[in-house]
Amino acid sequence: MNEVLLTIFRGLVAFLLLLTVTRLVGRKAISQMTFFDFAVAITFGSLTANMAIGGNNSPLTAGIAIVTFGALAIITSVIVLKSRHFRKLVNSEPVIVIAKGELVKENMKKIRLTMEMLNTLLREKNAFNIIDVEYAILENDGKLSVLSKSNKQPVTPADKNIGKPYMGLTVELIIDGAPMYENMRMIGKDEQWIVNELHNMGIQSVKDVFFAAMDSSGKLYISLGITGKEIQGKYGIE
């Protein structure tokens, strides 16, 4: 009887500890989880189960392990927010596998993506004919984003013989106040150009910009981000 009560107590403590730590770490929908997030979640589950069931480790040892791992996960998430290079190291980055209708073989080799796997992912996006795909990007959560060619998009301009402007990818220019120099060079721009554009909009520094991007038509999107403490319920239910 004592063993049953002890198991119930350990399970209760493990559950409350897991609830607290995961709340501190943050939350993501399963569909948005990267491979790193998935590995962290699995490890949390394993540590919690070990604490609840018992095994060779004491509850205190297992609890310390959960708290330590949770603290490391929190520290990692903070660094990920502040450092783009560390973010790429932890979560990798999206990889283009089809660009302007052509397969990017080197990228497919790098991520070990076969044609069979790519075709399966395309069909899941209702792209049954690879000829109709302008861009395909494998996101860091393992999902494929697909941009159809202009004349194959939902409006069906091809059927009505209506011309439609070319639509390519939106290019990220600033993320978290840091200029994306490689992306700027790709579209023939430099930092001075983006600085001038910002000054024209009354923005004094690149560091003040949370996110900036340009679409294929040359339209510039800039967001300074909403700052300050969130008012309860203003941007969603907490």
Side-chain angles (χ1 to χ4, degrees):
M1 186 64 181
N2 289 337
E3 186 175 348
V4 173
L5 293 175
L6 179 59
T7 302
I8 293 173
F9 175 74
R10 290 173 66 124
L12 178 62
V13 173
F15 176 80
L16 294 175
L17 186 58
L18 178 66
L19 183 63
T20 302
V21 172
T22 52
R23 178 66 177 177
L24 292 173
V25 168
R27 56 193 175 190
K28 273 189 178 181
I30 292 177
S31 60
Q32 298 172 330
M33 291 179 69
T34 64
F35 292 116
F36 176 75
D37 296 326
F38 180 74
V40 169
I42 292 295
T43 305
F44 270 133
S46 178
L47 290 172
T48 304
N50 184 62
M51 180 179 181
I53 296 173
N56 297 325
N57 298 321
S58 67
L60 179 61
T61 302
I64 291 173
I66 293 175
V67 172
T68 301
F69 196 81
L72 290 173
I74 293 170
I75 292 171
T76 301
S77 65
V78 171
I79 299 176
V80 161
L81 288 174
K82 294 183 177 295
S83 171
R84 183 171 181 268
H85 294 294
F86 189 74
R87 184 159 63 241
K88 290 173 64 176
L89 177 66
V90 173
N91 294 332
S92 72
E93 60 182 343
V95 177
I96 297 177
V97 292
I98 298 178
K100 296 183 178 179
E102 295 290 335
L103 293 165
V104 186
K105 294 191 293 185
E106 289 302 315
N107 285 355
M108 291 179 66
K109 289 180 181 178
K110 182 172 68 175
I111 60 178
R112 295 182 290 278
L113 181 69
T114 66
M115 277 305 305
E116 290 79 8
M117 294 168 62
L118 176 58
N119 283 327
T120 298
L121 293 172
L122 287 172
R123 287 193 294 271
E124 290 177 353
K125 292 294 184 178
N126 291 324
F128 285 86
N129 193 343
I130 195 171
I131 297 174
D132 296 337
V133 178
E134 182 73 6
Y135 279 93
I137 304 172
L138 190 68
E139 307 292 354
N140 54 12
D141 61 358
K143 291 191 173 183
L144 192 71
S145 298
V146 177
L147 176 66
S148 300
K149 291 183 177 178
S150 299
N151 63 344
K152 296 296 181 180
Q153 292 183 13
V155 182
T156 62
D159 296 336
K160 299 180 179 180
N161 294 320
I162 299 175
K164 189 174 181 181
Y166 173 77
M167 291 181 62
L169 290 178
T170 296
V171 180
E172 298 170 342
L173 302 177
I174 301 174
I175 299 177
D176 292 343
M180 304 291 101
Y181 298 109
E182 184 177 343
N183 291 354
M184 289 183 188
R185 287 194 294 270
M186 184 174 67
I187 61 173
K189 305 294 184 180
D190 56 21
E191 186 176 8
Q192 188 57 49
W193 170 81
I194 192 67
V195 168
N196 293 338
E197 291 292 324
L198 293 177
H199 285 171
N200 292 337
M201 298 180 184
I203 302 171
Q204 299 304 314
S205 173
V206 171
K207 294 182 179 179
D208 296 332
V209 179
F210 181 66
F211 180 77
M214 175 180 282
D215 64 18
S216 56
S217 68
K219 185 177 180 180
L220 194 62
Y221 170 82
I222 294 177
S223 174
L224 302 181
I226 298 174
T227 58
K229 188 175 180 179
E230 177 188 348
I231 300 173
Q232 189 72 17
K234 184 175 182 181
Y235 301 118
I237 299 173
E238 187 64 34

